[in-house]
Amino acid sequence: MREEAQQQDQLAMATAEEQLQQLRSKAAELLLREEWQESVQAYSHFITLCQSHISNFPQNPNPDPDHLPKLRKSLCLALSNRAEARSRLRDFAEALRDCDRALEIERAHFKTLVCKGKILLNLNRYSMALDYFRTAQLDPQANGSSVDLDGYLQKSKKLELMSRTGAFDLSEWVVNGFRGKPLEPAEYIGAVQIKKSEIRGRGLFVTKNIDAGTLVLVTKAVATERGIFPGQNLDENTQLVMWKNFTEKVMDSMAKCSRIRDLISTLSSGEDENELEVPEINRFMPEAEHNGGYHNENEHDASRMLSILDVNSLVEDAISSKVLGKNNDYYGVGLWVLASFINHSCVPNARRMHVGDYVMVHASRDVKAGEEITFAYFDVLSPLEKRNESSKTWGFRCNCKRCKFEEKLYSREDLREIEMGLERGMDAGAAVYKLEEGMRRWMVKEREKGYLRASFWEACSQAYYSEKSAKGWGRRIPPMETVVDSVVEAVGSDERVLKMVAEKLKGRGGGMVEMERAMKLGRGVYGKVVKKQAMKTLLGLGIL
């Protein structure tokens, strides 16, 4: 009887071992075929069965001393492989948990160390990723492995440095005519903090003086939805489909990661903005969170989340986001959480540039410590009435100092005459002359002159683009450089202003002063991530 029982036990163990082997082979095959969801399911079944065998091992009357270590080794590898599949599905929270469970079994498991490093790199936690890759490098398997461990190490080092210093450089990409992929950015937060804003709700403020082109922040999108639409023929149905796809991507990211839910919950839904919490800037730093710290079971009201997306999503074809003139037929929408705290002003001091899934925000003019960082949500090189119409579509009325000043001045008959004259085809030079004469009579201050010149920029640009017009009016209108400098000081650099300066520079040449003016304007438009030689390339290519 005893021998018969032993034989039955051995048969049961053999059957169980065969079942485990079949499951393991099936899961591995699905992983190799990149069928990630099916692979996760197969590995989950294997892991459950393997854990059951490990739990029941002490009850085995004739245990094989080598069997338990083999089971634990198999479990460790299965957890590592499931982590890999889950990371491909962008379920990073669960993937990290699998890695941690595998490392509890085998502290220096090579494949798991590499997998966890890659996940942390995807989460922009560069220094932590670097630690795991360095630990994996100590393993003897590192030399014979097919994993490009040195590549991951170098990438982590580079991104960690960029994240710490903001030392980005897109120059090589620009000089090469935008061929290939640009430098992959790292998330970066400069000298900024979130505070209560006099404009609306909360805003982003600089904590020290910065000059034009200085990088303020770089942040990765929670989700994006993009398409190419020749002639910007984006009908309502297409917009609705894109918006539906976008919101589903955001909701999916929130379901998988409580950190994303937490950060999105800091945003305004457009109501009770003055009552909202002012979060610490450290909350948005990717390295600030702990391993696997993704547990937040609070469900957010779906309608509120849709309101948050409606208020805070950025459109990539906005005037402030054109990427080096390359996206004329390109339309995209995305959510970049920290950038969403930046309010609109008709005297903006910052611009944004989209590179892949990242948005890079830089100063478009010199900014003083304590000043709020602001974007142009719409075209600010336009008259007050047009700006008021644009602001209505955003659900607010701009109350910045420029709008207040122009509101008071708008009742003047002679200012309205200039607008009406331009509508009837008045010569641009004559309009500029009348504007300058009017400002002299109204005793307008220098900064306020920049406001009005920006409002009549279309007339100014026509007057100075034409050599005949500019010479014809001679000293009766100010030099182009005076107008450019005052407009930029008021509303920051703009590609249209830069285009005019660059064309003039190429047409008649210029000295160091003229070149430096063009360089500073370029830094305001594209940021210091484009260095001097690359900026000269941009000016010479005529793509501005």
Side-chain angles (χ1 to χ4, degrees):
M1 289 289 291
R2 189 172 180 180
E3 288 182 5
E4 187 178 339
Q6 286 180 344
Q7 288 175 355
Q8 287 177 349
D9 287 341
Q10 289 172 356
L11 181 62
M13 285 178 64
T15 303
E17 182 63 36
E18 185 180 351
Q19 186 182 12
L20 279 174
Q21 182 58 42
Q22 287 174 351
L23 267 175
R24 181 168 44 210
S25 298
K26 179 184 176 183
E29 183 183 345
L30 290 166
L31 189 71
L32 285 171
R33 286 178 6 205
E34 300 185 357
E35 295 180 25
W36 310 121
Q37 191 63 58
E38 293 78 4
S39 176
V40 167
Q41 291 169 359
Y43 273 117
S44 296
H45 190 182
F46 175 85
I47 288 165
T48 300
L49 201 58
C50 194
Q51 286 172 326
S52 175
H53 282 287
I54 291 171
S55 298
N56 294 330
F57 187 79
Q59 282 76 48
N60 193 327
N62 298 293
D64 179 355
D66 296 328
H67 191 56
L68 184 59
K70 287 179 181 178
L71 283 173
R72 290 175 63 82
K73 189 173 182 179
S74 293
L75 178 60
C76 180
L77 182 60
L79 286 165
S80 183
N81 285 339
R82 188 171 70 174
E84 178 71 29
R86 281 176 161 168
S87 71
R88 297 303 186 99
L89 293 168
R90 305 195 66 78
D91 192 354
F92 297 127
E94 290 299 324
L96 280 178
R97 275 195 277 275
D98 279 345
C99 287
D100 289 340
R101 288 173 63 190
L103 293 173
E104 284 174 10
I105 298 169
E106 189 176 332
R107 189 175 173 183
H109 189 250
F110 176 76
K111 187 170 185 178
T112 306
L113 291 170
V114 174
C115 182
K116 186 164 183 179
K118 291 192 294 183
I119 294 167
L120 291 168
L121 204 54
N122 266 298
L123 293 170
N124 297 334
R125 292 155 69 181
Y126 313 109
S127 60
M128 292 183 72
L130 190 55
D131 288 341
Y132 279 93
F133 290 136
R134 281 174 173 159
T135 304
Q137 196 178 37
L138 300 175
D139 193 293
Q141 291 186 57
N143 292 329
S145 171
S146 61
V147 176
D148 183 13
L149 191 54
D150 188 59
Y152 284 122
L153 274 165
Q154 295 308 316
K155 182 178 180 179
S156 299
K157 287 178 183 177
K158 187 183 294 184
L159 291 172
E160 191 277 332
L161 178 66
M162 287 192 289
S163 180
R164 187 162 32 86
T165 63
F168 298 84
D169 189 356
L170 298 176
S171 299
E172 186 176 348
W173 182 55
V174 173
V175 171
N176 289 334
F178 312 106
R179 287 188 294 272
K181 291 184 178 180
L183 173 76
E184 181 183 346
E187 287 207 301
Y188 166 76
I189 299 177
V192 293
Q193 62 180 336
I194 302 168
K195 292 168 54 179
K196 288 286 186 182
S197 169
E198 293 182 2
I199 299 175
R200 268 178 315 280
R202 304 152 305 169
L204 207 61
F205 294 76
V206 293
T207 57
K208 66 178 185 180
N209 294 344
I210 59 175
D211 58 352
T214 299
L215 203 59
V216 174
L217 64 91
V218 180
T219 184
K220 190 176 183 179
V222 170
T224 59
E225 179 69 12
R226 294 163 171 147
I228 303 294
F229 302 96
Q232 289 294 303
N233 185 24
L234 201 63
D235 59 46
E236 186 177 348
N237 186 55
T238 303
Q239 290 185 57
L240 287 173
V241 170
M242 289 189 73
W243 180 254
K244 180 177 180 292
N245 292 341
F246 167 62
T247 55
E248 286 177 354
K249 287 179 182 179
V250 174
M251 295 299 186
D252 182 58
S253 294
M254 289 173 61
K256 290 176 178 175
C257 179
S258 66
R259 178 177 183 267
I260 289 176
R261 290 201 300 274
D262 172 58
L263 295 183
I264 292 177
S265 72
T266 64
L267 299 177
S268 167
S269 63
E271 299 177 1
D272 302 322
E273 292 195 25
N274 293 326
E275 306 301 319
L276 293 173
E277 168 200 3
V278 178
E280 291 289 333
I281 198 71
N282 288 345
R283 190 169 175 178
F284 299 88
M285 294 180 177
E287 299 283 4
E289 62 170 302
H290 298 292
N291 265 351
Y294 293 133
H295 294 289
N296 180 357
E297 302 302 328
N298 293 331
E299 292 295 328
H300 295 282
D301 179 67
S303 62
R304 181 174 180 272
M305 295 314 302
L306 289 174
S307 296
I308 285 175
L309 295 182
D310 189 44
V311 170
N312 295 283
S313 301
L314 297 177
V315 175
E316 287 183 315
D317 73 345
I319 192 165
S320 60
S321 69
K322 289 180 180 175
V323 183
L324 305 176
K326 303 298 286 185
N327 61 345
N328 293 333
D329 296 328
Y330 176 88
Y331 180 88
V333 62
L335 179 66
W336 292 266
V337 177
L338 191 52
S340 299
F341 283 91
I342 300 177
N343 284 311
H344 165 84
S345 174
C346 290
V347 283
N349 55 24
R351 292 176 63 88
R352 70 182 194 265
M353 184 164 70
H354 294 261
V355 178
D357 286 340
Y358 292 79
V359 66
M360 309 177 83
V361 178
H362 65 268
S364 61
R365 57 177 171 83
D366 297 345
V367 185
K368 293 180 180 179
E371 192 176 340
E372 182 173 358
I373 292 291
T374 53
F375 278 152
Y377 285 14
F378 44 80
D379 186 8
V380 294
L381 292 185
S382 58
L384 177 65
E385 278 193 351
K386 285 187 178 179
R387 300 201 311 273
N388 283 342
E389 289 172 11
S390 296
S391 67
K392 285 178 184 177
T393 65
W394 284 85
F396 66 84
R397 184 179 180 86
C398 185
N399 202 30
C400 70
K401 52 191 174 182
R402 175 185 173 190
C403 287
K404 287 178 181 177
F405 164 72
E406 291 187 26
E407 200 75 59
K408 291 179 182 177
L409 205 62
Y410 210 70
S411 59
R412 292 186 178 274
E413 190 69 30
D414 35 8
L415 189 63
R416 286 184 171 277
E417 282 181 7
I418 299 172
E419 285 190 4
M420 291 170 64
L422 285 168
E423 289 174 4
R424 291 194 295 263
M426 176 193 289
D427 177 73
V432 173
Y433 172 75
K434 283 180 175 291
L435 177 64
E436 295 294 328
E437 283 296 296
M439 290 193 293
R440 183 178 59 79
R441 290 196 308 275
W442 309 327
M443 294 185 291
V444 173
K445 297 175 183 177
E446 283 303 313
R447 172 57 69 89
E448 293 165 345
K449 286 181 180 178
Y451 297 162
L452 289 173
R453 286 165 176 162
S455 292
F456 287 90
W457 174 253
E458 189 172 348
C460 290
S461 62
Q462 289 178 18
Y464 292 108
Y465 251 125
S466 166
E467 289 289 344
K468 183 178 179 181
S469 175
K471 285 181 179 178
W473 287 97
R475 294 187 178 181
R476 288 181 293 170
I477 61 175
M480 181 194 76
E481 293 75 13
T482 300
V483 173
V484 165
D485 289 347
S486 70
V487 167
V488 171
E489 186 180 353
V491 300
S493 295
D494 183 279
E495 59 264 81
R496 288 162 293 179
V497 180
L498 176 58
K499 182 178 180 180
M500 186 174 76
V501 171
E503 291 296 328
K504 291 291 181 182
L505 189 62
K506 287 186 287 185
R508 67 188 185 196
M512 291 292 293
V513 175
E514 289 79 7
M515 179 59 74
E516 182 49 41
R517 176 180 282 106
M519 289 295 107
K520 184 169 183 177
L521 277 171
R523 289 192 293 272
V525 171
Y526 301 123
K528 291 181 180 178
V529 294
V530 179
K531 302 297 186 270
K532 193 169 185 178
Q533 188 55 49
M535 192 69 73
K536 286 183 178 179
T537 302
L538 278 174
L539 299 175
L541 284 173
I543 64 168
L544 304 169

